[in-house]
């Protein structure tokens, strides 16, 4: 039985990855390591908690001794590393916590894996889940490819870029078998409502202003989270060691157009007069260092591994909105307590 440790499995993307692996691969023993920060939520994966091939471990990847002991104890065959501080705005107010989790935490996992594998890399794999933000920003044209030079602009993306470099260096220096994927913006169920799409859905439900940074002309490439989980499954099993793969939605939207589309869909769902939610749009001060445009060239993973998004943006948004409307308790739980304090500081 293969033992796989997945970090960050109580978070947004991690919960979809964990569910897919636990259900699809009963022959794997899946360990979910998560510190349960503000972004981690066991409710995200309540449906799989009693599966026989699933174990949850609460723990911090920054704690070197703990990580070393855990790896020694379980002798994992593979790591799928998603745990991270993931919100750009938080990285602007508290960059050091991003260095701790995203850089030091990744280093601890690399060292622990290197130690237990001890140069015997047969059947072993370190999968590092990264972001397109490491490439910096695009102008009006062009796409990020796997050879685009790294040029991170936020403390978040700098910390992710740094962790990518360490993973690569462990491959080159110690022969550690790794793969890295750099993905564009995800959306879908269980997305924490500090990020644009779930924040808008929550605010429309609450009849609160919809904050649009700057002129709203910033562009993102949106991918449904379950399609990202499919890509991770594929790269984990079929990706080539020491390779990186870009993952994207072929789905670029200027923020303001996305906000208007979401307003329209929410009006329909909530039975409101068309145009009601758009009146809540409020332009607010811009994010410092705000990247103008992200867009992924996902041809490598498409040609080499046969992956492409399966869900259209229309379908994905429908599913996402329905999920939030049907899971008001989840939304209430995550927006009570410290969320309100964060929100007031960010949008005061
Ligand atoms: P998230 O913030 O929703 O979840 C992060 C998870 O990591 C949480 O469960 C949290 O409790 C856990 N965690 C944080 N610090 C930890 C620590 N020190 N030790 C153990 N666990 C810790 O993040 P997400 O959006 O699901 O992103 C997951 C990964 O995918 C990240 O590495 C992120 O950089 C990457 N990524 C995200 C996107 C996106 O659009 N959300 C796109 C591309 C790549
Ligand atoms: O590209 C991948 C990245 O996508 C991931 O690596 C990050 O973890 C993830 O958070 C996401 O980063 P972004 O900064 O692109 O996502 P966010 O949802 O924070 O913002 C999306 C766009 O919307 C961005 O241009 C900023 C803008 N925005 C965001 C918020 C929260 C607003 O206009 N208003 C807002 O209130």
């Amino acid at each position: 039985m293969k033992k796989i440790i997945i970090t960050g499995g109580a978070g947004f993307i991690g919960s979809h990855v964990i569910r897919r692996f636990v259900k699809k691969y009963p022959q794997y023993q899946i360990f979910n390591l998560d510190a349960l920060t503000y972004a981690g939520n066991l409710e995200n994966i309540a449906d799989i908690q009693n599966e026989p091939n699933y174990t949850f471990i609460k723990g911090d990847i920054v704690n070197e001794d703990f990580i070393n002991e855990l790896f020694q104890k379980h002798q994992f065959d593979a790591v799928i590393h998603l745990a991270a501080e993931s919100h750009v705005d938080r990285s602007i107010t508290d960059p050091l916590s991003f260095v701790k989790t995203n850089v030091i935490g990744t280093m601890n996992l690399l060292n622990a894996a290197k130690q237990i594998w001890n140069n015997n890399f047969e059947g072993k794999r370190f999968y590092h889940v990264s972001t397109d933000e490491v490439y910096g920003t695009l102008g009006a044209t062009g796409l990020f490819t796997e050879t685009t030079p790294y040029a991170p602009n936020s403390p978040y993306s700098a910390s992710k870029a740094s962790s990518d470099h360490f993973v690569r260096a462990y491959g080159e220096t110690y022969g550690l078998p790794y793969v890295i994927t750099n993905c564009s913006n995800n959306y879908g169920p269980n997305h924490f409502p500090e990020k644009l799409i779930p924040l808008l859905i929550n605010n429309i439900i609450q009849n609160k202003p919809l904050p649009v940074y700057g002129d709203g002309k910033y562009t993102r490439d949106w991918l449904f989270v379950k399609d990202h989980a499919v890509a991770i499954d594929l790269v984990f099993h079929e990706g080539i060691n020491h390779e990186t793969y870009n993952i994207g939605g072929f789905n670029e939207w200027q923020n303001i157009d996305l906000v208007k589309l979401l307003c329209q869909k929410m009006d329909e769902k909530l039975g409101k007069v068309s145009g009601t939610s758009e009146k809540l749009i409020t332009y607010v001060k811009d994010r410092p260092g705000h990247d103008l445009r992200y867009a992924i060239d996902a041809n490598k993973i498409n040609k080499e591994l046969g992956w492409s998004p399966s869900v259209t943006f229309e379908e994905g948004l429908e599913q996402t909105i329905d999920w939030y409307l049907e899971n008001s308790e989840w939304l209430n739980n995550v927006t009570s307590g410290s969320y309100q304090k964060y929100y007031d500081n960010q949008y005061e």
Side-chain angles (χ1 to χ4, degrees):
M1 184 179 258
K2 217 178 171 75
K3 282 187 171 185
I4 304 174
I5 179 167
I6 301 183
T7 69
F12 167 47
I13 301 170
S15 61
H16 291 276
V17 173
I18 283 267
R19 178 176 300 102
R20 184 176 177 87
F21 273 71
V22 166
K23 294 214 157 155
K24 192 173 165 200
Y25 301 109
Q27 72 274 30
Y28 295 166
Q29 189 66 38
I30 306 291
F31 294 81
N32 174 10
L33 171 65
D34 199 297
L36 299 182
T37 67
Y38 78 93
N41 185 350
L42 288 177
E43 279 184 53
N44 292 349
I45 36 164
D47 57 314
I48 55 153
Q49 65 181 344
N50 295 323
E51 295 294 336
N53 63 336
Y54 173 74
T55 307
F56 175 71
I57 300 164
K58 184 173 187 296
D60 188 345
I61 59 170
V62 180
N63 184 335
E64 186 183 357
D65 292 341
F66 164 74
I67 292 296
N68 284 335
E69 280 164 28
L70 190 71
F71 275 61
Q72 289 296 342
K73 179 174 171 196
H74 293 289
Q75 298 289 315
F76 303 114
D77 299 297
V79 181
I80 304 179
H81 176 36
L82 295 108
E85 287 294 339
S86 67
H87 191 38
V88 174
D89 293 326
R90 289 186 193 253
S91 83
I92 294 166
T93 46
D94 180 19
L96 196 55
S97 65
F98 284 67
V99 175
K100 287 180 184 158
T101 290
N102 299 358
V103 186
I104 310 281
T106 304
M107 284 293 294
N108 286 339
L109 295 169
L110 285 167
N111 281 331
K114 173 176 168 284
Q115 216 169 353
I116 60 165
W117 295 342
N118 193 22
N119 287 322
N120 180 6
F121 296 131
E122 186 63 36
K124 308 290 191 270
R125 173 151 277 189
F126 192 103
Y127 185 150
H128 180 59
V129 175
S130 191
T131 169
D132 60 357
E133 298 202 12
V134 297
Y135 299 123
T137 188
L138 291 163
T141 58
L143 299 169
F144 293 135
T145 72
E146 287 79 2
T147 55
T148 301
Y150 275 30
N153 290 319
S154 72
Y156 163 67
S157 53
S159 69
K160 291 297 289 186
S162 171
S163 63
D164 291 12
H165 289 322
F166 275 111
V167 174
R168 185 176 181 280
Y170 271 57
E172 293 300 312
T173 306
Y174 307 114
L176 198 89
Y178 76 85
V179 282
I180 300 175
T181 49
N182 297 88
C183 189
S184 65
N185 287 63
N186 285 216
Y187 70 97
N190 307 99
H191 205 182
F192 193 79
E194 64 188 349
K195 311 282 168 59
L196 181 67
I197 290 181
L199 184 143
L200 294 172
I201 294 174
N202 185 41
N203 284 17
I204 291 171
I205 294 170
Q206 309 277 338
N207 209 26
K208 280 170 62 175
L210 307 178
V212 174
Y213 294 165
D215 62 5
K217 299 252 170 79
Y218 297 90
T219 299
R220 298 292 182 264
D221 172 0
W222 294 94
L223 176 69
F224 193 55
V225 63
K226 291 183 190 180
D227 275 329
H228 189 186
V230 172
I232 288 175
D233 182 352
L234 199 60
V235 172
F236 179 74
H237 289 98
E238 293 177 31
I240 309 284
N241 275 336
H242 295 202
E243 289 286 325
T244 71
Y245 299 86
N246 282 355
I247 306 171
F250 299 100
N251 180 38
E252 286 183 54
W253 284 81
Q254 273 196 353
N255 290 341
I256 190 61
D257 295 333
L258 170 57
V259 175
K260 287 181 178 166
L261 175 69
L262 203 66
C263 286
Q264 191 188 317
K265 289 202 167 293
M266 288 294 287
D267 284 348
E268 287 164 22
K269 293 276 177 197
L270 297 171
K272 291 185 178 170
V273 176
S274 175
T276 306
S277 299
E278 265 197 35
K279 292 197 186 113
L280 296 170
I281 293 175
T282 309
Y283 289 91
V284 299
K285 76 172 182 327
D286 211 347
R287 171 186 281 175
H290 199 166
D291 287 330
L292 177 66
R293 177 172 163 258
Y294 304 145
I296 282 278
D297 177 347
N299 274 307
K300 179 176 173 181
I301 187 170
N302 175 257
K303 291 211 170 79
E304 294 184 12
L305 304 182
W307 176 89
S308 58
S310 69
V311 178
T312 65
F313 196 43
E314 188 86 2
E315 288 162 358
L317 267 189
E318 285 277 326
Q319 282 190 41
T320 304
I321 293 170
D322 287 345
W323 187 86
Y324 280 92
L325 293 177
E326 284 158 18
N327 289 275
S328 50
E329 199 180 321
W330 183 94
L331 198 52
N332 289 340
N333 288 347
V334 302
T335 52
S336 59
S338 62
Y339 177 81
Q340 206 47 54
K341 198 165 157 215
Y342 162 79
Y343 195 92
D344 293 343
N345 281 338
Q346 179 65 23
Y347 299 100
E348 62 191 348

